[in-house]
Structures are given as C-alpha cells and as structure tokens.
Amino acid sequence: MSASTPANNGSRRRVVITGIGVVSPLGIGVEPFLEALKAKRSGVGVVTDVMDASAAPGNVGGEIPDFDDGVTKEAMPKKQRKFIKVMCREIELGVVSAMHAVQHSGLDLDALDRSRMGVDFGANLMFTPPEVLADAVAACAEPLPPDSAEPRRFQFERWGQKGMKMLEPLWLLRYLPNMPACHIGIALDARGPSNSLTMGGASGNSALSEAARIIERGRADVMVAGTTGTHLHPVRTINLGLFGELADGDGPPGTWCKPYDAGRRGQVVGEAACTVILEEREHAEARGATILGELLGFGSACVSQLDATGRLGEAVVVAGRAALRDAGLSPADLGHINGHGVATRDSDAEECRGYAKLLEGAPVPITGLKGFTGNAGSGSGVQELAASLLMLREGLIPVCLNHEFADADLGDLQFVSGDHRPHEGKTVFLNLNGTRGGQASAAIVRAE
C-alpha cells in the first residue's frame, strides 16, 4: 500500500459524515457557525447569562448566545420534553447538537432500522453548581455560638440524615456524564450500541473513533457521535485559575485567546457541543445523502510521568503516528492540522514539539479554533473537526484567530495566520486534542 492510499479504501467498511449539529459561542446550527468562521468573528466576550461572575478575569468566556430551556424544548420530540427538568446545561447542549445533526443529515428516522443506529458521546465530568449544594452543606456544618469568629466545619456524619434530604430527588441525574448519550438514544429511539466517554479534551476524537469502529465491524449502519462540555463553570474556572492558566488581556475579549502566538497569555473558558452523523458509505449513498467527509484513521495515547504529570508532546507524536498508520498516509499527505492550542505558554510549546517530531519536516500548516470559541474541554474536539470540515468545503483552511507571530518555543512550524488560507486541493486534515494529564486523541478526515 502506498503512503497516499487510505487504508479504509480496502476491505473494511468505509465511514462517512453526513450531518453536523453544532451549539457554539459562534452560534447554534451549521449556518451561523460557518458564517462566523468565514467572517473571522470571535464568540468570546463578557459572560452575561451563564454566570454573573466567575474566577475568570473580566468574567470573559466563550458563551453560547441565546441558549435556554426553550431551545432544547424546540429541538426535542414532544414526548421527551419532560426530561429537560433532569438535564444540566451541558446535557442540554449535547442533546440539542444531536437533534440538529440528525436534521442536517436528512435522515428519515421512520425508514431506519433503529437496531442499526447507535450513540457514542463524550463529556466532561459534570460538576454541580455551588448554589445547588449550599443549603445542604450549611445544614451539615457544626453549630457555633453567634459571636464566634471560628470557621464552621463540615460534619460528614450529618450528610445522610440532614444534607441529603435537602437535595432535589433527581439531583444526581442532572450531572451524570453518561446522560447525554442516554437522552439522545431515547429521543431518537436508537437501539444500537451506546456508550459514553469521559476523557476531558481528548473525548471528541475518541468518541468518533469508537463510533466508526462499530460501523466498520458491521454492528451499526448509523452512529450519532459527539461531545458536550464546558469550562464556563464556577468550579472549573476556579480550578483553571489555581493552575494559573487563565488569560487576562488588555484589549477586546475576543483577542485574549492567542493559540500558538508569541504573546499567548493563557486560555479563555468556553462551552460547546457538537455532534456528527456517521454512516457506512454505501448506506449513505443508497439514501442519496450529502457526504461531507470521510473518516480515514484514528489514534490515541496517554503519556505521563510517575508523578502523573502529563507529557502532551510525546502523546501527540504517538497518537498522530497511529492515526497516520491507520489511514495509510504520511505526514506530507496532510493538508493541515487543527490542533489543541489552548494558548498557555507551556502547553502550546509542548504540543508543538510533538508536531515537529510528527511531521518530520513536512510543511503542514497548523491552525487552532480556540481563539474563536475559548476552551470547552470535552466540548471542543468535535466542534474543531467540524470547523475544518466545513471550511474545507468552502475551499479554505480556517485561520488561527489572534495568532500573529510564533516564538522560538514553538519550533520551525507553519501556522495559518492573518486570514484563511486556500486549501490548494489538499482536503485531508488531522484533528488533534489533548489534556493536561498527557492524553491525546487524533482523527484524520478527508473533506468531500
């Protein structure tokens, strides 16, 4: 097999993308999302709806505009709308993105064999907002005299009798990371394989990989695959702030996140969900579907030290090479890389050291989407893949927004700077995401 011949053109079933549903700071739905990308318009701004205030400097983040329970209600089948009351915002984002993806794909659900349709979805660990637990926690604190200046201590032995009773009965169901897949499966009556992945920023490509393998093995013809997630949350934002990873800019908020730029100062928090409809190629062609792209290969890795410090750069190399082998391609076959690019000093530098080894001198341009959206953790990966796919169909590689100049820490690499770049006929790209813990996941896609 030559280096330019995709391995999945052989005996294994070919998997294509026929629908995209995106819920993003750039807008809800493919058209507003693509329009904002083409216009180089950032979705990062001062947060007004999700939180009144947060640990993020200036309360800046990538917030999804005009999203509330009404959006979810409109997207869901009527008989499932009662379930909205047990969905936190992250779950709602995922469900809405899946419903939009099905609509975008043109699938006739009534004509499908539902036993041949499955769901594979990724999510962050979902944290309960502090205000939901406040009264229950306060009830379990040790009593002190009114004039005492001592802090009240939480008494664990009181939780079962006092605290637990103050929580809403279905509290846990609102924050379980497997619930997006559950609600999507119920809403679509998808009776095929179903699974949930919780791998932080690496969830997206991994969910697509597992879904594609299910189709390749003949266990399903259609898979609903995606991710949802947020870092725009009081607990998560405090966590990132403690690590010193949050950007604090002095210009418009939309310029604060600078992936791979010499002036990068940290990440901006965001929220997002994105779903793609995967089909076996012959199944999609038989129903006359518009094929947006084909999945060619996948790879994943986790590299960390004995003290659990992640080594993202090494994981990038392992995951990227595995994806290239799986696709039967060489680095020179790639038209671009859509990278993790959270815009922190150390993470971007380590990631780029990995790209330098992976590319072996091939002049492959690198871009990143987080200047447009902020970092949504698990919600970012599929959204970024969708951005590359949609822009390539417009003849363009998306710009790495807010990137002007690279520094020596990033090595001798090419970045898509200033404006979108014509793809010049190279429509195969590598989508790569990672985590602070040293996980990386990679997907290679060809736009059609």
Side-chain angles (χ1 to χ4, degrees):
M1 179 181 295
S2 71
S4 60
T5 303
N8 53 357
N9 280 349
S11 59
R12 75 190 195 193
R13 302 174 92 210
R14 297 169 66 183
V15 181
V16 297
I17 298 171
T18 58
I20 296 172
V22 61
V23 183
S24 165
L26 300 183
I28 300 173
V30 166
E31 291 185 5
F33 179 72
L34 180 57
E35 180 184 346
L37 286 173
K38 291 167 68 175
K40 298 188 292 183
R41 184 170 65 248
S42 176
V44 172
V46 176
V47 175
T48 58
D49 293 335
V50 179
M51 296 183 291
D52 293 331
S54 75
N59 204 31
V60 165
E63 180 181 45
I64 295 165
D66 304 319
F67 187 91
D68 55 23
D69 288 352
V71 176
T72 310
K73 183 177 180 180
E74 183 178 350
M76 291 187 70
K78 288 184 179 180
K79 61 182 179 180
Q80 265 78 50
R81 290 175 181 173
K82 60 185 177 182
F83 296 141
I84 295 174
K85 63 185 178 182
V86 290
M87 296 182 189
C88 67
R89 185 175 175 97
E90 287 171 81
I91 295 174
E92 288 192 53
L93 298 179
V95 170
V96 171
S97 75
M99 298 301 108
H100 278 247
V102 170
Q103 183 178 18
H104 187 245
S105 73
L107 277 170
D108 181 355
L109 295 179
D110 293 332
L112 282 180
D113 178 355
R114 304 301 178 94
S115 69
R116 303 282 298 169
M117 181 183 192
V119 181
D120 218 304
F121 225 79
N124 291 323
L125 292 173
M126 296 180 181
F127 293 167
T128 304
E131 63 270 18
V132 173
L133 298 174
D135 291 340
V137 170
C140 297
E142 65 176 332
L144 292 173
D147 57 348
S148 175
E150 294 293 319
R152 299 175 69 193
R153 293 183 175 86
F154 182 83
Q155 297 183 318
F156 287 94
E157 64 272 16
R158 294 189 177 193
W159 180 252
Q161 291 297 318
K162 293 196 174 204
M164 189 74 74
K165 293 179 180 179
M166 300 181 71
L167 297 177
E168 56 185 303
L170 300 178
W171 160 72
L172 187 60
L173 293 181
R174 291 176 60 88
Y175 306 103
L176 287 172
N178 66 316
M179 293 310 294
C182 293
H183 286 297
I184 292 165
I186 293 170
L188 298 176
D189 192 21
R191 305 172 199 167
S194 179
N195 196 24
S196 302
L197 300 177
T198 310
M199 298 171 59
S203 298
N205 297 318
S206 298
L208 267 59
S209 173
E210 184 170 279
R213 300 307 191 205
I214 289 170
I215 293 175
E216 288 173 6
R217 292 195 299 267
R219 297 292 303 278
D221 298 318
V222 178
M223 290 294 293
V224 181
T227 54
T228 183
T230 184
H231 281 169
L232 193 58
H233 183 286
V235 177
R236 289 196 177 279
T237 307
I238 289 172
N239 178 264
L240 292 170
L242 291 173
F243 277 95
E245 294 188 347
L246 294 177
D248 187 358
D250 53 8
T255 67
W256 286 19
C257 184
K258 303 175 184 292
Y260 311 121
D261 186 71
R264 62 193 185 279
R265 300 169 64 173
Q267 64 180 294
V268 169
V269 291
E271 59 176 355
C274 189
T275 302
V276 293
I277 303 301
L278 305 184
E279 290 186 64
E280 192 274 327
R281 178 176 277 275
E282 291 185 4
H283 183 276
E285 290 173 343
R287 70 177 184 87
T290 297
I291 295 176
L292 306 174
E294 181 171 1
L295 297 173
L296 303 181
F298 299 96
S300 62
C302 184
V303 183
S304 64
Q305 299 174 171
L306 291 177
D307 63 358
T309 300
R311 303 179 71 167
L312 180 59
E314 293 181 34
V316 163
V317 178
V318 175
R321 286 176 176 170
L324 287 166
R325 285 195 304 270
D326 191 36
L329 299 175
S330 72
D333 295 312
L334 297 174
H336 77 275
I337 294 174
N338 194 327
H340 187 52
V342 296
T344 62
R345 298 297 309 177
D346 293 341
S347 179
D348 279 16
E350 187 177 357
E351 180 186 349
C352 286
R353 285 193 288 271
Y355 291 142
K357 292 181 181 178
L358 174 67
L359 294 176
E360 300 174 339
V364 179
I366 298 169
T367 190
L369 198 71
K370 292 181 176 69
F372 282 96
T373 63
N375 184 10
S378 61
S380 291
V382 181
Q383 174 187 224
E384 291 164 3
L385 184 148
S388 279
L389 183 57
L390 291 169
M391 287 293 283
L392 285 173
R393 288 174 56 82
E394 299 288 318
L396 300 169
I397 301 171
V399 68
C400 187
L401 195 66
N402 302 326
H403 176 92
E404 295 182 2
F405 306 102
D407 56 28
D409 289 343
L410 303 180
D412 187 20
L413 298 171
Q414 295 186 18
F415 297 94
V416 185
S417 179
D419 203 354
H420 308 303
R421 183 182 299 187
H423 65 51
E424 298 179 347
K426 299 191 74 170
T427 62
V428 174
F429 68 94
L430 169 67
N431 192 66
L432 195 143
N433 292 103
T435 69
R436 187 194 298 122
Q439 294 168 290
S441 64
I444 294 179
V445 184
R446 181 179 59 229
E448 297 198 5

